Amino acid sequence: MKYSFKNDYAEGAHPQVLEALIQTNLIQQNGYGLDDYSIDAEQIIKQKINNPKAKVFLVSGGTQANLIIISAFLRPHESVVSPDTGHIFTNESGAIEATGHKVHGIENKDGKIYANDIQKLIDGHQNKPHQVKQKMVYISNSTELGTIYSRKELIDLYQFCQDKDLYLFVDGARLGHALTAETNDLTLEDFGKYTDAFYLGGTKNGALIGEAIIINNESLQEEFGFHLKQKGAMLAKGRLLGIQFQELLKEDLYFDLAKNANQQAMKIKEAFKQIGCEFLCETFTNQIFPILNQNQIDELSTNFDFYVWKKLDEEKSAIRLITSWATTNEIIEKFITEIKNLK
Amino acid sequence: MKYSFKNDYAEGAHPQVLEALIQTNLIQQNGYGLDDYSIDAEQIIKQKINNPKAKVFLVSGGTQANLIIISAFLRPHESVVSPDTGHIFTNESGAIEATGHKVHGIENKDGKIYANDIQKLIDGHQNKPHQVKQKMVYISNSTELGTIYSRKELIDLYQFCQDKDLYLFVDGARLGHALTAETNDLTLEDFGKYTDAFYLGGTKNGALIGEAIIINNESLQEEFGFHLKQKGAMLAKGRLLGIQFQELLKEDLYFDLAKNANQQAMKIKEAFKQIGCEFLCETFTNQIFPILNQNQIDELSTNFDFYVWKKLDEEKSAIRLITSWATTNEIIEKFITEIKNLK
Amino acid sequence: MKYSFKNDYAEGAHPQVLEALIQTNLIQQNGYGLDDYSIDAEQIIKQKINNPKAKVFLVSGGTQANLIIISAFLRPHESVVSPDTGHIFTNESGAIEATGHKVHGIENKDGKIYANDIQKLIDGHQNKPHQVKQKMVYISNSTELGTIYSRKELIDLYQFCQDKDLYLFVDGARLGHALTAETNDLTLEDFGKYTDAFYLGGTKNGALIGEAIIINNESLQEEFGFHLKQKGAMLAKGRLLGIQFQELLKEDLYFDLAKNANQQAMKIKEAFKQIGCEFLCETFTNQIFPILNQNQIDELSTNFDFYVWKKLDEEKSAIRLITSWATTNEIIEKFITEIKNLK
Amino acid sequence: MKYSFKNDYAEGAHPQVLEALIQTNLIQQNGYGLDDYSIDAEQIIKQKINNPKAKVFLVSGGTQANLIIISAFLRPHESVVSPDTGHIFTNESGAIEATGHKVHGIENKDGKIYANDIQKLIDGHQNKPHQVKQKMVYISNSTELGTIYSRKELIDLYQFCQDKDLYLFVDGARLGHALTAETNDLTLEDFGKYTDAFYLGGTKNGALIGEAIIINNESLQEEFGFHLKQKGAMLAKGRLLGIQFQELLKEDLYFDLAKNANQQAMKIKEAFKQIGCEFLCETFTNQIFPILNQNQIDELSTNFDFYVWKKLDEEKSAIRLITSWATTNEIIEKFITEIKNLK
């Protein structure tokens, strides 16, 4: 059996999370997110982001979070701007459009977008009401390419959005990994301050399932529960989500797990660097994209599973390697040995 | 702390289900429903319903199952017929309409509907194309009132649907309870034969989350995965669903749990009968609706939680009591003692 | 060739309307509703309803007006309440649901609904957010049964809607006929005051096409043009709509035409009364529903076309007869002669 | 008053069309497209395209035609590919997305797209079902840049679509202009043969309103009327559309009018060429895009209205000039005189 670096959701949950589920299993609770654990998880999150006026809603997955947030916030004639690498633009089978909204994909720079690019799009849509109205900017952190936004970049984007009457929404399926990257200068509090809404991903960082939606903008919080219900996201046993986020966040487990994933990725990166390898883009989170030739790819594929991400020329391709909270030192050492033996 | 008879999802999962999650936790698996457990669960289900051509899709909740099935099967101008007590008609915050389809609510008889009622609705919609086209019949078994369809009733409905070119879709959030009711004469195989699609509820019968959608009609199976993805229902860790259904169904755990819920409810029913109590409708599953006066309701409310379901007159109301796989003999005995002491 | 009483849109436009089209035909105008005629028509309407803050939008048909207004005003989790005879509930092929919103059909009384009935529906939807949120009341005047609301009834409904935070929207496809009925005590100004929005039907009262949407509620006016465009209702040659409404409303042509339709219907009603005929409901507009036996229906069908509206028993049915601005005295006399000869 | 070259819908209808409306005005007809004129117009069109199995549906505008066709043909998870200059991609305020479907905008070449470009998009969407499924190709002829497809280009695209199981849909808002361009080698019959559906624009070529949708692919014709009704496109007085298309197409009026528009544009083009002017792209239909400096633009703006289409550098911009069936020789001569006087 090959070891898989294909994604960060190949295993179940962190043992502490499972243990919390077991401990609480037979305690009766209210359904639909009104259980004690979900309520407590909301309090913990609000403290951690330092925004007592935020509202927290727990859902089971990222696409679900994206489509509910976007369709709840926008009126029918409003659209959302995304990097062309954005999950909502390319990887959700038309989920956003299925709720009635256009997604504009604009050219990414290492997975990120900036005010200038967004302004250019808006400038090309001045023929109102014949052209759709841009009302939201969607970014991911860390991005689909493993890169992260700096504090200045986030604040600049938020300021731009404020000026242009746009909402800023951050897909944080891997926010833990972003916040624990060695080059990161953002804090969770910044996300409580410089976004209208964001979510904190559990699925890819130690939970069985779960993303915690945080809505900072008070005008967008109202009646949000209806949207969860209408889109099929309100779990009868909402406790399942509450317990997991409680466990992950009551201490720093969430960040410790993300840090482990990043560190394991950095060890692999270092190993590739030592053999002179280049990368599709420089990343400091749990996704790395070394550029290899076909022989090297074949060799590594014998014992390890991963995606060939992008063919660059006849000879070379970038592969994608993803580590997780569950990636052990043992497996990293074994993999690094194979890297060192590559020709 | 009061004991709650408000619903059948107040606890977590059956211990065997949790144990299976623990045992498999660190085994790497493919994401998005392509894990070994989900694949095995599909095989088990297909055997149990005796329909090798069926396709099985695991999702996290009932509203999600309903909205995906209905929006995937219907073209934009087609509608679905439901009892006016149906979950999709009254309790899903407009989830079906949000996908673009009209739900017709027709008068229920103890939660059920029959060919005659549906035909009358169709007769009132003959002005095509000005009136929407009926294309699907939705029923629940057991119903929202705890009642069940007989084998003849199901076959008659299916035959009617076949004659009228309608799909028959059964919401089986509590199908386990229906199939283990003492008055039931339907089998799981019947659902593999006399429906176009149905689902087998896990959430209310021992799982943390999970409903198993089964599509019998081959013309409706095609490309169903896209709809799961688009509606945010495709869990990255689909293993969570696979493992649970595998555990519940590989032996008869699923049916044993439902039977326990029913038997506990029947004991309560018997106790109410012995004090001369009447019921909103006669049920043999895990939901009962005794009719009590306000004093009796107040008295029972001291130690137990339940919903007052329907005010019948100045004095009397029907309450709803729901038992589950987790309802113990001990709690039943305690509750029966209180019933016997009612004036 | 039989003469048709089937509807009020069997002919083209009133000759004055056609003449206005001819006179203006080659004058260049801006597209998309920014032509001089549409702007002038808006001014005329705002004066006639005595609401200078209203906004007017001209569209081509009633279903279009309904679906745009409703989808523009409601957020995704909000629903609209309609009589069960309402056009949006039964005759628009699911148009409102196709924009994502549930339509509740409540029992009509001669085509009308009252605060009590609406309150009862709302009372049955208190389980938020599991049940959809009612946010709008839709009525027609005149109704689909030819009846009309009294001034007190409209004001009561509007007051109720204000109290309950509901929008009141009136489908006025036949508002001209309502306002010129002999029993009417409402004015156009009342509709500028006691509704959030309504429309003034042109198609059934002398225009080739056209309904004039009037939005009184200022909070609902914003960015309405986007919705027109998005739903395909913004005609390149919006002038076609502007010219017609200008012509119909600059003097009292609109009301004269409606009055003619009503008067012709009243003559027919009187003739049926004289032969002892009863009616499905008493109406004073251009729709009447005499109850006839099959022989009588067959006899009248020889030279005239109409719909058999409702079978009442083995022997008798109500037929529907509709007159229009184009119904001449000559045809009425001929028809009355035949009525008098009925056995 | 300036003369406007801003668009081809600044005037009303061709006098013959108006005359036909007057002649038929008081003849009673069935509603909703079942009038004699619409039925006859369908027959005429089917003969002209030489496809007796086609079905024809008349609607009032282009955006309406686009959104109905696309939403009727596609299942929820299917998307449409358009040039990034396509009307559905940039100029319909999100109309297609509002029906639930993603529109992919791919780089245009003078307003056109080719098999290679589409294939590249499809290649980038192989991760099924996580990525949306491409099912339709949308093109315009003439395009938004006034260019036209050659017969070989259309047949190649259709062949590609057939091979890839894609529908080919042609927006023919200006199909008359395309078919009468001097460089054109396509016939109306080709559109009856090498497309799944297309429409023939009336609004921009002599009608007050109206686009004739033609569906060649028999599997897509079924129950199309429901979609017209549901989207608010089924006019009560469908006769208005029927009469106009009957008049435009019974002889060659439709093509004569388009030819006039093209010829007037060609005269203007020639005049610009003579003063050494360049063009954004070479066109042979009723849209031309001469490149002028700001002084020239200002000078021409004194007596004429037009859009500045695209700023090219600090000094120069392309303007857009559109002629129509109503553009007279007199106005052309006056305009050419001014062109010749430009510095």
Side-chain angles (χ1 to χ4, degrees), chain C residues 60-95:
Chain C
S60 57
T63 296
Q64 195 174 73
N66 289 332
L67 77 88
I68 293 172
I69 288 171
I70 295 172
S71 68
F73 290 3
L74 300 186
R75 293 189 60 207
H77 61 298
E78 295 175 341
S79 65
V80 53
V81 182
S82 160
D84 57 6
T85 42
H87 208 260
I88 60 168
F89 189 66
T90 61
N91 274 291
E92 301 188 349
S93 208

Side-chain angles (χ1 to χ4, degrees), chain A residues 110 142-148 281-287 289:
Chain A
D110 287 347
S142 65
T143 70
E144 286 75 7
L145 294 180
T147 54
I148 60 173
C281 52
E282 171 122 68
T283 63
F284 297 90
T285 62
N286 68 325
Q287 300 182 74
F289 299 80

Side-chain angles (χ1 to χ4, degrees), chain B residues 205-238:
Chain B
N205 195 28
L208 285 169
I209 53 166
E211 317 290 305
I213 297 171
I214 294 113
I215 307 180
N216 295 310
N217 183 327
E218 288 176 71
S219 74
L220 299 171
Q221 297 167 351
E222 202 188 353
E223 304 193 338
F224 195 76
F226 283 98
H227 303 273
L228 293 180
K229 179 67 193 173
Q230 188 183 73
K231 299 300 189 272
M234 192 173 271
L235 296 184
K237 293 180 182 167

Side-chain angles (χ1 to χ4, degrees), chain B residues 139-341:
Chain B
I139 60 170
S140 312
N141 196 40
S142 64
T143 71
E144 287 74 7
L145 294 180
T147 53
I148 60 173
Y149 283 84
S150 72
R151 190 161 189 273
K152 179 170 186 327
E153 287 172 338
L154 182 72
I155 294 175
D156 283 355
L157 257 186
Y158 183 62
Q159 194 52 56
F160 172 77
C161 288
Q162 291 286 99
D163 291 350
K164 302 293 175 174
D165 198 21
L166 297 162
Y167 305 130
L168 179 60
F169 160 45
V170 180
D171 174 335
R174 293 191 181 99
L175 191 52
H177 304 96
L179 291 178
T180 55
E182 56 182 280
T183 52
N184 172 65
D185 63 354
L186 277 161
T187 63
L188 206 43
E189 294 191 17
D190 290 328
F191 286 87
K193 197 168 167 189
Y194 301 118
T195 71
D196 290 283
F198 70 103
Y199 64 90
L200 208 51
T203 309
K204 291 168 179 168
N205 195 28
L208 285 169
I209 53 166
E211 317 290 305
I213 297 171
I214 294 113
I215 307 180
N216 295 310
N217 183 327
E218 288 176 71
S219 74
L220 299 171
Q221 297 167 351
E222 202 188 353
E223 304 193 338
F224 195 76
F226 283 98
H227 303 273
L228 293 180
K229 179 67 193 173
Q230 188 183 73
K231 299 300 189 272
M234 192 173 271
L235 296 184
K237 293 180 182 167
R239 62 190 292 148
L240 169 61
L241 299 169
I243 293 162
Q244 295 184 91
F245 275 101
Q246 197 186 30
E247 189 62 26
L248 286 167
L249 292 166
K250 69 181 183 190
E251 317 275 331
D252 281 332
L253 181 58
Y254 186 78
F255 298 101
D256 294 343
L257 296 182
K259 200 179 290 178
N260 177 72
N262 291 348
Q263 285 172 344
Q264 305 297 39
M266 291 307 97
K267 290 182 200 167
I268 300 175
K269 184 166 98 169
E270 185 56 28
F272 276 115
K273 282 199 167 170
Q274 284 182 7
I275 64 162
C277 185
E278 299 201 319
F279 296 82
L280 192 64
C281 53
E282 171 123 69
T283 62
F284 296 91
T285 62
N286 67 326
Q287 300 182 74
I288 59 174
F289 299 79
I291 296 170
L292 304 176
N293 63 39
Q294 194 54 49
N295 282 343
Q296 294 172 322
I297 292 172
D298 292 345
E299 217 159 319
L300 284 180
S301 295
T302 315
N303 294 315
F304 294 91
D305 239 7
F306 48 80
Y307 286 107
V308 176
W309 193 250
K310 197 177 182 178
K311 198 174 168 58
L312 298 174
D313 57 33
E314 280 312 295
E315 203 186 348
K316 283 169 177 282
S317 297
I319 65 168
R320 187 181 74 170
L321 299 166
I322 305 195
T323 54
S324 83
W325 62 270
T327 311
T328 60
N329 290 335
E330 195 189 346
I331 209 73
I332 291 295
E333 279 158 30
K334 200 178 143 203
F335 190 49
I336 287 177
T337 304
E338 299 214 6
I339 294 169
K340 288 184 177 163
N341 291 335

Side-chain angles (χ1 to χ4, degrees), chain D residues 214-231:
Chain D
I214 295 112
I215 307 180
N216 295 310
N217 183 328
E218 289 176 70
S219 74
L220 298 172
Q221 298 168 350
E222 202 189 353
E223 304 194 335
F224 195 76
F226 283 98
H227 302 274
L228 293 179
K229 178 66 193 173
Q230 188 183 75
K231 299 299 189 273

Side-chain angles (χ1 to χ4, degrees), chain A residues 10-195:
Chain A
E11 289 89 2
H14 187 268
Q16 269 182 247
V17 171
L18 274 191
E19 183 58 29
L21 288 172
I22 294 164
Q23 290 307 323
T24 56
N25 191 46
L26 291 178
I27 303 170
Q28 286 197 319
Q29 289 290 328
N30 287 323
Y32 299 113
L34 302 176
D35 60 280
D36 296 343
Y37 317 116
S38 294
I39 292 165
D40 187 47
E42 175 163 20
Q43 291 312 316
I44 295 170
I45 289 171
K46 286 163 70 170
Q47 277 174 0
K48 294 230 172 190
I49 66 169
N50 193 25
N51 182 358
K53 292 182 170 170
K55 294 266 186 208
V56 177
F57 303 90
L58 308 178
V59 298
S60 58
T63 297
Q64 194 175 73
N66 289 332
L67 76 88
I68 293 172
I69 289 170
I70 294 171
S71 67
F73 290 3
L74 300 186
R75 292 188 61 208
H77 60 298
E78 296 175 341
S79 65
V80 52
V81 182
S82 161
D84 58 6
T85 42
H87 209 259
I88 60 167
F89 189 66
T90 61
N91 274 291
E92 301 188 350
S93 207
I96 307 308
E97 291 87 354
T99 70
H101 301 282
K102 190 179 191 79
V103 184
H104 305 277
I106 61 176
E107 203 182 342
N108 79 90
K109 287 160 186 158
D110 287 347
K112 300 192 281 182
I113 52 175
Y114 300 92
N116 274 356
D117 311 308
I118 303 165
Q119 186 58 52
K120 215 180 298 173
L121 180 90
I122 293 174
D123 290 343
H125 285 80
Q126 289 307 304
N127 186 19
K128 308 293 181 195
H130 297 268
Q131 296 188 298
V132 76
K133 180 187 167 194
Q134 291 73 45
K135 185 66 184 174
M136 185 191 273
V137 170
Y138 162 96
I139 60 170
S140 313
N141 195 41
S142 65
T143 70
E144 286 75 7
L145 294 180
T147 54
I148 60 173
Y149 283 84
S150 74
R151 190 161 188 273
K152 181 171 184 328
E153 287 172 338
L154 182 71
I155 294 176
D156 283 355
L157 256 187
Y158 183 63
Q159 195 52 57
F160 172 78
C161 287
Q162 291 286 98
D163 291 349
K164 301 294 177 177
D165 198 23
L166 298 162
Y167 305 130
L168 179 60
F169 161 45
V170 180
D171 174 335
R174 292 191 181 99
L175 191 52
H177 304 95
L179 291 178
T180 54
E182 57 182 280
T183 52
N184 172 64
D185 62 355
L186 277 162
T187 64
L188 206 41
E189 294 190 17
D190 290 328
F191 286 88
K193 198 168 167 188
Y194 300 118
T195 71

